[in-house]
Amino acid sequence: DTGSAAAIPINEVDIAYVTPVTVGTPPQTLMLDLDTGSSDLWVFSSLTPSSQVRGQDIYTPANSSTSKLLNGHTWSIRYGDGSGSRGTVYLDTLAVGGLEVKSQAVQTAQEVSSSFTQEQSLDGLMGLGFSTLNTVRPSSQLTFFDNARPSLDEEVFTADLKYHATGSYDFGFVDRAKYTGNISYTAVTESPGYWTHSLSGYAVGSGAFQTTRLSGISDTGTTLLYLPTAVVTAYYRQVQGAQNSQYYGGYVFPCSSSLPTFTFGIEEARFTIPASYINYTRISPTSTTCYGGLQSSSGLGINIFGDVALKAAFVVFSGTNPPRIGFAHK
Ligand SMILES: O=C(NC1CCCCC1)N[C@H]1[C@H](O)[C@@H](N2CCCCC2)[C@@H]2OC[C@H]1O2
């Protein structure tokens, strides 16, 4: 079996992408952020206090003839940006792009942090990390991908995220029409539940490629690209007026500055991120100061290959044994 669904940017700077997901019987459609950096599937629900719901669609288990309370189970998650949510759990039928799982753990939010309340076009998250990261207790639950695995034609899902445009997520097959050339695969370690792999190096603009192993996680749920300070300072050295602002919490520069491209390596392959992806956003609607799509990972303890990098490629998340990740041009 296979599935294919849209990945729709939720605002004009691609802060996140949402995908239509149906839950329950009759189907209730929610727009979820498919997040390879976490492994909980949680939704705004009829159990979420109305003061914390602002325009989101909600899942109402009472209106689903196939919903079952997972008695005595709770969950609580905190993300790297400080946002979080917690609640209870139901099992229900869930489908993405025609691919159905009969008994998916759907984590119903009883509390969400303000950054979720403020994102009215995001109705929850579908974690696509390894199920070891799932926070449901006393027994942890499987991701949609892990539940769907037995019925998939191929044990893969792919991400084709796009700059200021709608892309797609496919499950169970690698669509030859979505990429050119060959897919460059590299090893993944499941530690501690992320899609962790290495880059083979990087280049700033037309500069020489620096061969150096950079370990990190490919995370569709993170907006920007976070790399070591040495790499990031080398990049912004090429940007007129760039500075690492304590006030804005990262590298900013005059919006009129011309930015170099950024190239990363996957084994022998090279992927170039256009300068436009790294000229991420104005720090406020009328400002002439812009915030960079490439930032330092020094405070994080891990490098994060977020959407700014992933949207420069067609990415294959392969759940084979051992797992691997593949990047292709598009
Ligand atoms: O916290 C991270 N990443 C960290 C960013 C800072 C550096 C460390 C990693 N990702 C989250 C993201 O921010 C959330 N957000 C919701 C509102 C729309 C934008 C997305 C969404 O919920 C969980 C996940 O996706």
Side-chain angles (χ1 to χ4, degrees), residues 70 73-74 105 107 131-142:
L70 190 59
H73 285 69
T74 58
Q107 299 170 219
S131 293
T132 44
L133 281 180
N134 181 263
T135 73
V136 175
R137 295 298 177 265
S139 38
S140 84
Q141 301 299 302
L142 296 181

Side-chain angles (χ1 to χ4, degrees), residues 13 19 33 61-62 73 114 121 132 152 176 194 241 244:
V13 293
T19 295
D33 181 357
H73 285 69
S114 58
S121 23
T132 44
L152 293 179
R176 195 53 265 217
Y194 302 115
N244 189 5

Side-chain angles (χ1 to χ4, degrees), residues 35 42 76-86 111-117 125 221:
D35 176 18
W42 71 264
S76 175
I77 193 162
R78 182 68 57 195
Y79 298 102
D81 66 351
S83 65
S85 49
R86 65 171 183 80
E111 184 174 32
V112 302
S113 63
S114 58
S115 73
F116 287 114
T117 298
L125 259 80

Side-chain angles (χ1 to χ4, degrees), residues 274-291:
S276 55
Y277 295 17
I278 301 175
N279 192 342
Y280 178 61
T281 188
R282 290 178 187 282
I283 51 175
S284 67
T286 57
S287 174
T288 59
T289 301
C290 279
Y291 192 79

Side-chain angles (χ1 to χ4, degrees), residues 10 15-16 33 35 79-81 83 115-116 119 122 125 219 221-223 226 300 304:
I10 66 170
I15 193 171
D33 181 357
D35 176 18
Y79 298 102
D81 66 351
S83 65
S115 73
F116 287 114
E119 284 302 339
L122 188 145
L125 259 80
D219 180 1
T222 288
T223 315
Y226 297 88
L300 309 176
I304 304 184

Side-chain angles (χ1 to χ4, degrees), residues 200-219:
S200 49
Y202 70 94
V204 173
S206 56
F209 185 81
Q210 306 299 309
T211 300
T212 175
R213 223 172 137 75
L214 295 169
S215 173
I217 67 170
S218 275
D219 180 1

Side-chain angles (χ1 to χ4, degrees), residues 34-45:
L34 270 53
D35 176 18
T36 58
S38 67
S39 305
D40 283 37
L41 194 166
W42 71 264
V43 294
F44 277 77
S45 73

